Amino acid sequence: RNGIYPLMNFAVSRPHALPRALSQPQEDPQKAKTPTPEPFDVETRKVVQMQCNMELNEDKSQWHLTLLLILEDKLHRQLSYDLLPTDNSKDLATELVHYGFIHEDDCEKLATFLESAFHKHRSQ
């Protein structure tokens, strides 16, 4: 009457048995201890516009960085990060290239941009 029979009519009378392995294969201990790092995608689009905002956290002990990147295809990428005292602009830009957030050609440009932003906000 409703176009389909009740679902209980389709149930299997007995469950299917899953085959069991008699013994587990032994793994090579060298292979088990060294994890293979996952490859990261390489960004092919270049950054056409950058904006940066830095604010002190509530306890005023650490800077919070918000970076807005506009790529060639008008994609907006917003990244946030709590800066450590040991962070520098070159390392941050290199890390963004490594993880595929920016194109390799934009690394130096972003490092220079971040350095000027750090200097401006930290001197206030």
Side-chain angles (χ1 to χ4, degrees), residues 25-54:
Q26 295 293 326
E27 286 190 29
D28 184 14
Q30 292 293 337
K31 290 181 183 176
K33 291 182 181 177
T34 54
T36 305
E38 288 188 30
F40 295 101
D41 291 334
V42 176
E43 181 59 67
T44 57
R45 300 165 294 191
K46 292 190 177 184
V47 175
V48 293
Q49 188 176 353
M50 296 180 265
Q51 294 177 359
C52 176
N53 185 30
M54 289 179 62

Side-chain angles (χ1 to χ4, degrees), residues 51-53 64-69 76-82 92 95-97 100-102 110:
Q51 294 177 359
C52 176
N53 185 30
H64 181 77
L65 169 71
T66 303
L67 185 63
L68 176 65
L69 305 173
H76 289 65
R77 179 168 284 160
Q78 183 173 337
L79 306 168
S80 295
Y81 181 69
D82 287 327
L92 290 175
E95 192 171 329
L96 291 176
V97 170
F101 287 112
I102 62 170
L110 182 65

